[in-house]
Amino acid sequence: MFKALSNESRLQILQWLKEPENHFIPHEGVDMRKIGVCVSQVTDKLNMTQSTASQYLSILQRAGLIHTERIGKYTYYKRDEENIRKIAAFFNGEL
């Protein structure tokens, strides 16, 4: 988790995913609040290669900060609010 949070771009992705409607253009009519955003939306926003954006999203997923949903040929990414709350509560209680 610390590695996932140690990169400015990954932190930025988490911030954008908190309110996706304020940062991304909807993809194929998908409700970004419910389903999430696809890697191409993140790639465009970060202005980097799709492989780098995919790697960043994968790191965030392995850390339990986001989860994915596959719809057709697209994978959508959304914050895992429950895990983020648990992590925040841990830090508030332990530090």
Side-chain angles (χ1 to χ4, degrees):
M1 178 189 53
F2 291 113
K3 179 182 177 182
L5 297 173
S6 69
N7 178 282
E8 188 174 326
S9 293
R10 290 190 292 264
L11 286 172
Q12 186 65 65
I13 292 168
L14 283 176
Q15 286 289 7
W16 290 334
L17 291 178
K18 188 173 184 178
E19 296 177 320
E21 66 280 358
N22 293 336
H23 302 284
F24 299 99
I25 297 169
H27 181 255
E28 296 191 2
V30 169
D31 183 342
M32 293 182 292
R33 271 282 180 187
K34 282 180 151 178
I35 305 298
V37 301
C38 72
V39 68
S40 63
Q41 292 169 286
V42 175
T43 300
D44 292 345
K45 187 84 170 164
L46 287 173
N47 195 28
M48 61 178 51
T49 66
Q50 184 168 342
S51 63
T52 301
S54 292
Q55 183 181 32
Y56 285 175
L57 290 163
S58 179
I59 291 168
L60 291 170
Q61 182 183 12
R62 286 193 309 268
L65 298 167
I66 63 174
H67 57 85
T68 64
E69 182 172 345
R70 182 92 174 162
I71 300 175
K73 64 181 180 176
Y74 298 103
T75 302
Y76 293 90
Y77 299 85
K78 181 179 171 185
R79 283 170 47 119
D80 189 328
E81 296 297 342
E82 183 177 335
N83 274 347
I84 290 172
R85 277 192 292 279
K86 287 177 184 177
I87 293 165
F90 171 79
F91 281 114
N92 284 333
E94 297 296 322
L95 296 179

